[in-house]
Amino acid sequence: MATDGQNLDENEKKIVNEFCHHLEKSKQLFNGLRDLPQYGHKQWQSYFGRTFDVYTKLWKFQQQHRAILDFKYGLKRWQIGEIASKIGQLYYHYYLRTSETNYLNESFSFYSAIRMRAYYSKASKEERPDLMVKKLRYYARFIVVCLLLKKMKLVRDLVRELAKQIDDYTGTYEPEDQMEWNLVLGEIKAFIEADNIINVVDVDSSSIVLSHRLTPLNTPPLEKGTPVYLTLQEVLIVGNCHEQVKFSELTLDMFRMLQTLEREPQDDLTNQIYDTSPAPGRTPFENGDRTNKRDNPHKYLLYKPTYGQLNTFLASAFKELPPNGAMVLYISADGCPGNQKHTDDSAYDLGGVITNSRRDGEEPAKGKKAELYKEMHCLHPGDLYPYTRKPLFLIIDSSNSSAFQNFPNVFGQPLVCLLSPEQVPVTMQDQQLKGNLFTLFLHSPLMAMCCVCSISDIPISLWDKCQAQVDKFVADASRLFSRARKLDHAYVQFLGDDFLRLLLLRFVFCYIVLILHRGFKGPSYYPASHPALPTDEILEHPALYKLVLDLASMLEVRGLFAEPGDVDISA
C-alpha cells in the first residue's frame, strides 16, 4: 500500500510539473505575439499555430486533471479564467489578422463561458490589484467582441457589470489608473449611444438590433454573363476624425466600414451549453489553413497612423495582392487644406487628409518656417501614386475629399475614387460626432436616409417595407451599371466583386438622396466620384429618382425632397 501511495505521489508530481510546463510555455508564446509584425500574411501564421496548440493542450490537461491540480497545485478558478481569457484573445486576434468573422464566434464562446461559470468571481477576494485589472481588461475585451457581433443587450449588461467592477477596484485600492478606467467606461457608453442613430422598434416597442454585414439577401444581383475581372483581397481602414467617438482604437466610421466589408458569420455558437468548461473550437490549423479559402477580404485597421506606419501597411498590402486582386483604401479623417493659390499640381498642392494629429515630441514649425513646411502626417494624392500600379479602389470621407478629385491614372490599372461631400447642413453638424454621413450611406443606406430626414424611431414593419425599396433601387442601379455604354472601364473591372459592387450602388443612392434633398445645396454637399459616373445613364436616371422619391413618401418626408426637374447641381 505504501508503494501505491508513493506511486500516486509521483504521478501527482508529474501531473503538476507537466501543467506548470504547459502554463509557462503558453505564457512565453502568448507574450511573443506582441513582437510579431502587424502586417504581412505569412510571417505570423506558424507562430499562431504553435500558440493555439499549446493552449489547446493546456486547456485539455487542466480539464482531465482538475481534481489533482485543485488539491496539489492549488489551482484557482481565476487561473482557469485567465487561460480561457487568453484563448478568447487568441481567437480575437486571429480574427483581426484574417478578417474571418467566424473566429469572433469562437472568441465569444470563451469570453461568455468565463462569465457564465463565474471564473473571476473571487478575484476581488485575493487582495491583489493586478487580478482585478485582469478582470477589468477581460470585460473591456468581451465588450469589443460583443459589439462586433451586434449582441447589444449583452453589451449593456456587461457595461453595467464593468462599472460595478471599476467601483469595487477603485474603492478598494485607490489605484493610480482610476482615471484611465473611468475614461474607458465613458468611451464605451458614448460609443454605444452614438452608434444607436436610428431606433427600429418591434410591435411591443422593444428595440431591434440589425446587422449590416453582407448576406446572400443583400448582395446586389449581377446580370448573367457579366465577367468577373477582379476580387477584393486587401482592405486598409484608416480613422482619424478628431471629434468622432471611438472605443478600443476603433472610431465609429472604422467600426461601420469593417462590418460593411465582411460577410455575416455563419456559425452560431450563442446557444452553446456551458455545463462543461469550453474547449477550443476549430483552431485555424486543424484541417489545413482555412484562410486559403477566404470569405472576406483581408483588413488592416489603422487608428491615427503616422505617415510612416500607413505607408508600411500600404506597401505590405500592395505586395500581398494576388493577380486579379483589388485593394480598397478607406480613409475617414480630418481634411488638411492645401495651397490656396492657383496651382496645377494636384499631387501635393491641394492638401489631403491628416491621418495623425501631431505626435508628442514633434516640434511644430513656427513663423516663416511654418509657411514652407507641409503637415508631416498629411496624406496627399501624390503619396498614393506608386500604389496605382495595381487595381486601387479609394474611398475618402473628409472635409477635403476634393483634393483627390483629379487623381491621375499613371499606370493604366483600374482606379476608382469615391469622395464624400465636404459639407453638411448646419442642422446636421452635431451629428458628425456620431460618424460621418457618407460612411453611414455606404454602411446602411436606409439608416442614412432616416438620418438626413431627422427620423429617429421607425417601426420594424415600415423599416422592412422601406428596406425592400432600397433593395429594389440597388438591383435596378446594378442593371444600369451593366448596361451603361459611357461607363469608364475601371468601374466595369470592379463591378464583379460583391463588396465593391455594393459600395458603388450605395454611392449612387447617396448621391441621388442628397441631390434631391432640399437641405443639401451645391456641389460641396454632394459626393463625387473619379472617374465621373455617367449622369444620364446612372446618376440622374429618372427610374432611380422615382424610387428615392417613393421611399421618401413611404417615410412621410416627401416635402423635404425637390422635384427632379428643380434640381440644380451647380447651386
Side-chain angles (χ1 to χ4, degrees), residues 5 17 23 25 54 81 85 121 125 141 161 181 192 235 276 355 364 418 446 450 456 462 513 516 555:
N17 286 341
L23 189 63
K25 184 73 176 166
V54 168
S85 181
S121 61
K125 295 184 175 66
R141 290 174 182 131
E161 289 173 29
W181 279 110
I192 295 164
V235 177
T276 58
T355 61
L418 301 185
L446 182 51
C450 291
S456 54
L462 179 57
V513 167
L516 290 174
L555 291 166

Side-chain angles (χ1 to χ4, degrees), residues 51-342:
T51 311
F52 268 114
D53 285 345
V54 168
Y55 271 98
T56 302
K57 284 175 191 166
L58 178 64
W59 189 257
K60 288 176 180 173
F61 194 84
Q62 64 83 21
Q63 283 180 313
Q64 290 162 359
H65 304 288
R66 178 74 59 81
I68 292 171
L69 291 170
D70 284 352
F71 184 60
K72 292 291 182 182
Y73 175 77
L75 185 66
K76 302 223 171 25
R77 288 187 68 72
W78 65 261
Q79 290 173 300
I80 302 168
E82 194 177 355
I83 297 168
S85 181
K86 285 211 163 86
I87 296 171
Q89 271 180 268
L90 267 178
Y91 275 115
Y92 174 65
H93 284 287
Y94 202 75
Y95 154 71
L96 289 180
R97 295 267 183 175
T98 62
S99 304
E100 290 308 333
T101 41
N102 290 320
Y103 295 125
L104 276 175
N105 277 329
E106 305 284 5
S107 181
F108 174 81
S109 70
F110 274 87
Y111 283 149
S112 186
I114 292 168
R115 181 169 175 260
M116 302 276 280
R117 296 180 64 77
Y119 282 135
Y120 279 123
S121 61
K122 293 180 181 173
S124 53
K125 295 184 175 66
E126 294 279 334
E127 296 188 0
R128 282 175 52 189
D130 61 315
L131 283 188
M132 283 296 289
V133 170
K134 283 178 179 176
K135 188 176 186 178
L136 297 180
R137 284 178 179 158
Y138 149 71
Y139 268 103
R141 290 174 182 131
F142 192 11
I143 287 168
V144 172
V145 169
C146 290
L147 275 171
L148 288 166
L149 288 171
K150 305 298 282 185
K151 298 180 187 295
M152 298 312 295
K153 183 181 181 303
L154 182 52
V155 166
R156 290 185 171 87
D157 291 344
L158 291 170
V159 170
R160 279 192 293 272
E161 289 173 29
L162 176 60
K164 183 180 179 302
Q165 296 296 333
I166 290 172
D167 287 344
D168 288 351
Y169 171 57
T170 55
T172 305
Y173 299 108
E174 297 183 4
E176 290 181 3
D177 59 354
Q178 180 172 344
M179 276 183 65
E180 283 96 325
W181 279 110
N182 285 326
L183 186 66
V184 167
L185 188 64
E187 278 189 351
I188 297 168
K189 288 179 175 177
F191 194 94
I192 295 164
E193 185 186 345
D195 191 38
N196 190 29
I197 290 181
I198 310 298
N199 192 27
V200 182
V201 292
D202 211 340
V203 285
D204 60 357
S205 298
S206 60
S207 294
I208 292 174
V209 179
L210 301 167
S211 178
H212 301 289
R213 287 186 171 91
L214 193 66
T215 70
L217 294 175
N218 64 14
T219 301
L222 196 61
E223 293 224 311
K224 268 189 177 175
T226 304
V228 176
Y229 295 105
L230 298 166
T231 58
L232 178 58
Q233 294 289 330
E234 294 287 332
V235 177
L236 284 89
I237 294 176
V238 181
N240 180 36
C241 288
H242 179 64
E243 296 289 329
Q244 199 173 113
V245 298
K246 65 97 181 170
F247 172 53
S248 184
E249 302 221 321
L250 271 182
T251 65
L252 259 178
D253 281 352
M254 293 171 71
F255 179 65
R256 287 173 180 152
M257 188 51 64
L258 79 88
Q259 292 173 75
T260 304
L261 295 174
E262 287 179 349
R263 296 181 198 279
E264 195 65 42
Q266 295 304 303
D267 296 350
D268 185 8
L269 303 179
T270 55
N271 299 319
Q272 188 170 330
I273 299 168
Y274 295 110
D275 55 351
T276 58
S277 300
R282 296 177 319 282
T283 69
F285 302 91
E286 280 179 350
N287 300 312
D289 189 356
R290 291 179 71 231
T291 58
N292 291 334
K293 294 186 285 185
R294 183 179 291 141
D295 289 329
N296 296 310
H298 173 257
K299 294 188 302 295
Y300 291 118
L301 304 174
L302 302 176
Y303 175 64
K304 293 184 181 287
T306 62
Y307 170 74
Q309 287 167 335
L310 178 54
N311 204 36
T312 300
F313 280 85
L314 264 169
S316 178
F318 179 88
K319 179 179 174 235
E320 300 282 353
L321 204 62
N324 304 320
M327 176 163 68
V328 159
L329 173 58
Y330 163 86
I331 302 178
S332 158
D334 298 324
C336 180
N339 189 341
Q340 298 305 310
K341 298 170 188 169
H342 176 72

